[in-house]
Amino acid sequence: MGKDLVPQEMVHAYAIVKKACANVNHRENRLTNQQFHLIVQVCDEILAGKHADMFPLHVWMTGSGTQFNMNVNEVIANRCSQIAGEPLGSKRPVHSNDHVNMAQSSNDTFPTAMHVAVATMVKKRLMPALDALRASVDEKAVRWKDVIKIGRTHLQDAVPTPVIGYDKASKIAHYASDHDLTLKEATLKLGYLSPSEFDRIVDPRKMLTTYVAK
């Protein structure tokens, strides 16, 4: 159903999980040295981007992701056989279920792999993207600080406002709250205005009457 394959991020996350399980099972003497090293080698190959075409399953699957878990187990086991010079499907020297999937359940490994994939993508993609977005907004706040545009309420024109004036005001308010400062202290700390500029713009008397921009 559908054409959406399980993303490679999940494939790589599952390789990390299988590699971690192999380390634990080898430490507990449940895997031989040969089995352990073969499983780790294949997991590293998958993490390097190899064998991507060996994971043809779609994201639309029933149950707890058992089909995908076994897909990973079979790919690892067959590649281990290939490296060891054994026929594909022989399950020698590594068995897909008895060794690669040792002491694991799809009910555990699939959610774990999802968390690994999310954590990895947050670090590799989301945080750099947010840093770039913040840097871009900060740069434009400086570049456009003197530009006045027509504000909008829904689909109607409203009062003229600085292009990113409200963003700065929000940042000042958050900074003041986080550091227990007054709004003036926060504004000066952030370097948005000089003391005299703040006193001229933020005049309590203007707040009692309609303010007309000049």
Side-chain angles (χ1 to χ4, degrees):
M1 185 171 99
K3 298 181 180 180
D4 303 307
L5 299 183
V6 174
Q8 284 298 300
E9 289 81 3
M10 273 296 290
V11 174
H12 293 173
Y14 240 108
I16 293 173
V17 172
K18 295 299 178 181
K19 183 176 179 179
C21 291
N23 272 280
V24 173
N25 286 324
H26 178 252
R27 186 184 65 200
E28 298 301 318
N29 297 316
R30 295 191 179 100
L31 292 175
T32 66
N33 287 334
Q34 182 192 29
Q35 291 167 339
F36 166 66
H37 288 299
L38 283 171
I39 293 172
V40 168
Q41 179 180 341
V42 177
C43 288
D44 287 340
E45 289 180 357
I46 294 172
L47 289 171
K50 298 181 179 180
H51 318 304
D53 58 337
M54 294 291 103
F55 301 95
L57 293 181
H58 294 171
V59 295
W60 314 108
M61 62 181 79
T62 60
S64 56
T66 302
Q67 300 97 315
F68 184 63
N69 181 30
M70 290 310 299
N71 183 184
V72 175
N73 293 332
E74 292 288 350
V75 169
I76 294 174
N78 274 295
R79 176 59 181 151
C80 287
S81 296
Q82 194 175 50
I83 295 171
E86 296 286 350
L88 291 176
S90 65
K91 304 189 186 300
R92 297 191 306 266
V94 174
H95 192 286
S96 57
N97 196 46
D98 295 346
H99 302 130
V100 183
N101 199 51
M102 180 181 290
Q104 299 160 50
S105 166
S106 302
N107 290 314
D108 300 320
T109 58
F110 198 89
T112 299
M114 289 177 64
H115 283 86
V116 171
V118 169
T120 301
M121 290 302 103
V122 165
K123 182 176 181 180
K124 287 185 176 181
R125 295 185 185 177
L126 179 60
M127 295 311 297
L130 289 177
D131 287 340
L133 176 61
R134 181 177 60 187
S136 177
V137 170
D138 286 344
E139 184 271 330
K140 287 176 174 58
V142 174
R143 187 179 1 142
W144 295 342
K145 63 184 177 64
D146 297 323
V147 178
I148 300 298
K149 71 178 182 71
I150 295 298
R152 301 192 68 80
T153 56
H154 300 288
L155 298 178
Q156 297 179 345
D157 290 343
V159 297
T161 62
V163 170
I164 313 186
Y166 290 133
D167 288 348
K168 283 188 176 181
S170 176
K171 190 170 184 179
I172 291 169
H174 282 290
Y175 191 87
S177 176
D178 291 342
H179 296 85
D180 196 24
L181 300 173
T182 65
L183 292 178
K184 182 175 181 178
E185 290 170 338
T187 303
L188 300 182
K189 282 278 189 181
L190 292 170
Y192 289 154
L193 297 171
S194 67
S196 60
E197 288 173 329
F198 185 92
D199 291 338
R200 176 175 58 83
I201 296 172
V202 186
D203 186 345
R205 289 172 298 179
K206 295 176 182 177
M207 301 177 186
L208 300 178
T209 59
T210 302
Y211 175 67
V212 179
K214 296 181 180 179

